[in-house]
Amino acid sequence: MAVYDYDVVVIGSGPAGEGAAMNAAKHGRRVAIVEEQDSVGGNCTHKGTIPSKALRHAVKQIIEFNTNPMFRDIGEPRWFSFSKVLKRAEKVMSNQVMLRTNFYARNRVDVFFGRAEFENSNTIIVKETAKGDETLRTKSVVIASGSRPYCPPDIDFTHPRIYNSDTILKLSHTPRTLIIYGAGVIGSEYCSIFSGLGVKVDLIDTQDRLLSFLDGEISDALSYHLRNTAVKIRHNEEYESVIGDEHGVILNLKSGKRIRADAFLWCNGRTGNTDNMNLEASGLKANSRGQLTIDQHYKTDVENIYAVGDVIGWPSLASAALDQGRSAAADLVGADSFRYIDEVPTGIYTIPEISSLGKTEEELTAERVPYEVGQAFFKDTARAQISSQPVGMLKILFHRETLAILGIHCFGDQASEIVHIGQAIMRQEGEANTIEYFVNTTFNYPTMAEAYRVAAIAGLNRIANL
Ligand SMILES: Cc1cc2nc3c(=O)[nH]c(=O)nc-3n(C[C@H](O)[C@H](O)[C@H](O)COP(=O)(O)OP(=O)(O)OC[C@H]3O[C@@H](n4cnc5c(N)ncnc54)[C@H](O)[C@@H]3O)c2cc1C
């Protein structure tokens, strides 16, 4: 068995592992990364963020073609199959793999394909490589093994009409009707994708409102727009059984309802990938959700082992995972750039898109913070009119006395980009983070930044006469 020596071995090549490997390599450490799949990029590239965002983009283009009257000169509205839009996503995925493969080569990070298993806290065995098992001895380990869909044992996920968010990418036809169980971020995003393809979707929510962590108005807006595309949302429901047959799937709910559809997509919960690496040999133990506990430096209970990304739980976003990986490596090499990632914007790629940062109206009310609201509707901005994207709203919550920005909530086209303007100001120290910035600054025109100016003026007007 070949034996290699490293300063750092990273398990998993998703954004968390990549961030850790690159930063450790940039600081002169000898780094290896181990990946169980046959190419780099992690579930982010192969099963999660990238395919779902590429699918959604293609679906948005189809919706634009079908609804914008200008396109009627070149043809009648058309429906595209799921497999057709998936082809587009596959192209993006392979481009991403190529790009990321080059990063490792350029930064002299050795990539081992195979499953990493602990022999002890300083030794990793790479199993099932083309060359046989290989041994990596290392000073430090970063576990960045990600997560997978949680699949309850009483549902038959081998049935050809029952999918989870990984296997849905193997769907080879377009169902006429689809049940999506779980109305979290992933369920709501797939709901937009399938309803945009003309599929009749039943969205089953186990809670009493969609994405209950969002500001109430934004969550209501999402419900309204999904219903507008014929999605049937059912709240406060729990499954009794899911039964697949030759023609479709029957979902029996504990409330007594019975729903039939051509296919069923499970989007309820995820499990950390820790059961595949002989974790006990490292001295670590995962919790019941397969997740690892870390301190504020991404260190586990074992001195030389860090953990980052989905495997540590919240916020389970690619955006945070990359930064967590970079930060863990910074801590490991003793660099000043370490930061604990505790403030992450929400980016939800439903149609319409949603993004937010900071407190919601509900939170501020419960905390008795004297706040005011400035709102702007996209339909009233020149840029949204020009781009025929009138659906949307930007809402700035600010302190009535200090004028400090307390929350930014946005839905509509490009919301996940637009939120960053507010984020940059909100992050400033002292008096620089007030809503006045948006009225005292000249922005390009026409841009969606205009929405900040409109919202800020509206908000300041509300408190002017009190
Ligand atoms: C449908 C969907 C849509 C999403 N959309 C977004 C979005 O829009 N924005 C966003 O920020 N986040 C999104 N996410 C979440 C995002 O994909 C994850 O937060 C991110 O992938 C986590 O990165 P990671 O590096 O921790 O793990 P992963 O990307 O899960 O990568 C972990 C890697 O580790 C490998 N691995 C596991 N065990 C071993 C082992 N023993 N040996 C070797 N390799 C191993 C796995 O094969 C995998 O490649 C989405 C997720 C899903 C499912």
Side-chain angles (χ1 to χ4, degrees):
M1 192 191 303
V3 180
Y4 304 89
D5 285 300
Y6 289 97
D7 295 317
V8 186
V9 170
V10 180
I11 302 177
S13 70
E18 181 184 303
M22 293 303 160
N23 207 14
K26 294 247 189 259
H27 283 87
R29 299 303 189 272
R30 199 159 181 249
V31 183
I33 193 158
V34 189
E35 174 50 61
E36 188 177 30
Q37 300 184 50
D38 53 13
S39 57
V40 298
N43 297 318
C44 175
T45 300
H46 297 279
K47 297 171 184 163
T49 312
I50 298 297
S52 62
K53 264 52 311 161
L55 280 169
R56 173 192 181 270
H57 182 75
V59 168
K60 262 194 85 189
Q61 287 181 309
I62 295 168
I63 295 173
E64 170 79 5
F65 176 79
N66 284 344
T67 55
N68 189 333
M70 190 181 80
F71 292 116
R72 292 299 71 81
D73 287 346
I74 54 167
E76 288 308 301
R78 281 190 54 190
W79 295 109
F80 288 71
S81 66
F82 184 74
S83 40
K84 187 136 191 163
V85 290
L86 198 55
K87 285 245 161 6
R88 165 82 192 121
E90 282 162 0
K91 182 86 187 103
V92 181
M93 285 150 72
S94 70
N95 285 345
Q96 282 283 309
V97 168
M98 224 162 20
L99 189 82
R100 317 219 94 83
T101 305
N102 281 336
F103 290 164
Y104 291 111
R106 271 214 311 265
N107 287 283
R108 312 230 166 138
V109 172
D110 294 340
V111 183
F112 289 82
F113 289 108
R115 192 178 65 251
E117 285 188 8
F118 281 98
E119 188 168 274
N120 56 52
S121 61
N122 293 98
T123 314
I124 305 280
I125 311 293
V126 187
K127 295 274 191 185
E128 296 162 15
T129 72
K131 301 181 229 155
D133 292 356
E134 292 174 292
T135 299
L136 313 183
R137 289 192 302 225
T138 180
K139 292 177 189 150
S140 305
V141 179
V142 180
I143 303 178
S145 51
S147 65
R148 61 178 184 274
Y150 162 70
C151 296
D154 57 348
I155 298 180
D156 177 11
F157 284 92
T158 63
H159 191 279
R161 289 173 182 271
I162 298 179
Y163 299 88
N164 61 38
S165 62
D166 282 0
T167 55
I168 196 70
L169 297 171
K170 304 259 179 271
L171 182 75
S172 56
H173 66 287
T174 314
R176 284 173 305 116
T177 52
L178 175 70
I179 298 166
I180 299 182
Y181 188 92
V185 175
I186 296 172
S188 299
E189 289 187 358
Y190 269 114
C191 179
S192 290
I193 290 171
F194 280 101
S195 69
L197 285 172
V199 177
K200 218 164 151 283
V201 180
D202 272 280
L203 180 62
I204 313 298
D205 186 7
T206 55
Q207 302 192 4
D208 58 1
R209 75 179 168 96
L210 284 189
L211 304 170
S212 51
F213 57 89
L214 289 176
D215 188 272
E217 254 183 311
I218 304 285
S219 157
D220 289 350
L222 177 64
S223 301
Y224 170 82
H225 287 285
L226 289 180
R227 288 195 177 108
N228 222 12
T229 53
V231 173
K232 176 70 191 158
I233 307 171
R234 298 169 198 266
H235 295 291
N236 290 320
E237 298 283 7
E238 226 180 297
Y239 78 95
E240 176 77 46
S241 63
V242 179
I243 302 158
D245 60 29
E246 230 179 285
H247 309 290
V249 181
I250 294 172
L251 167 68
N252 290 306
L253 293 167
K254 286 195 173 151
S255 61
K257 296 186 191 73
R258 170 178 286 214
I259 306 165
R260 180 179 252 293
D262 290 347
F264 176 91
L265 171 58
W266 172 267
C267 294
N268 207 32
R270 295 186 67 83
T271 304
N273 292 325
T274 43
D275 52 355
N276 62 355
M277 56 181 73
N278 195 24
L279 190 67
E280 311 74 59
S282 71
L284 285 172
K285 202 167 178 305
N287 68 17
S288 59
R289 307 178 71 183
Q291 294 163 351
L292 297 173
T293 308
I294 43 113
D295 66 11
Q296 298 245 315
H297 286 258
Y298 299 105
K299 274 187 174 170
T300 64
D301 293 340
V302 175
E303 181 57 25
N304 70 322
I305 304 182
Y306 288 75
V308 284
D310 276 18
V311 77
I312 62 168
W314 185 90
S316 290
L317 289 170
S319 52
L322 186 83
D323 286 346
Q324 289 169 348
R326 287 182 57 79
S327 284
D331 191 81
L332 195 153
V333 302
D336 295 339
S337 54
F338 175 83
R339 110 185 134 88
Y340 183 72
I341 286 77
D342 55 359
E343 204 182 68
V344 184
T346 316
I348 303 169
Y349 297 82
T350 40
I351 302 173
E353 194 167 310
I354 293 172
S355 195
S356 66
L357 183 71
K359 303 269 183 180
T360 62
E361 285 207 56
E362 291 74 15
E363 286 168 337
L364 293 172
T365 304
E367 291 168 20
R368 297 175 177 237
V369 177
Y371 74 94
E372 199 36 276
V373 187
Q375 266 171 313
F377 294 92
F378 286 13
K379 66 182 168 51
D380 300 327
T381 65
R383 183 64 182 252
Q385 288 168 7
I386 290 164
S387 53
S388 304
Q389 297 288 348
V391 170
M393 184 205 23
L394 171 72
K395 172 159 134 177
I396 308 174
L397 308 181
F398 62 100
H399 197 285
R400 256 181 37 200
E401 283 134 31
T402 66
L403 305 185
I405 302 165
L406 305 170
I408 312 266
H409 304 277
C410 186
F411 80 91
D413 192 43
Q414 307 292 327
S416 59
E417 296 283 357
I418 292 166
V419 82
H420 293 144
I421 303 170
Q423 182 185 30
I425 304 311
M426 204 172 154
R427 277 290 200 147
Q428 300 302 309
E429 300 287 330
E431 288 175 16
N433 70 1
T434 72
I435 191 168
E436 286 178 310
Y437 176 88
F438 301 116
V439 283
N440 294 335
T441 305
T442 307
F443 292 113
N444 281 331
Y445 180 84
T447 58
M448 291 311 292
E450 186 193 353
Y452 279 95
R453 192 173 52 81
V454 174
I457 292 171
L460 290 170
N461 281 343
R462 273 179 194 267
I463 56 169
N465 302 320
L466 293 176

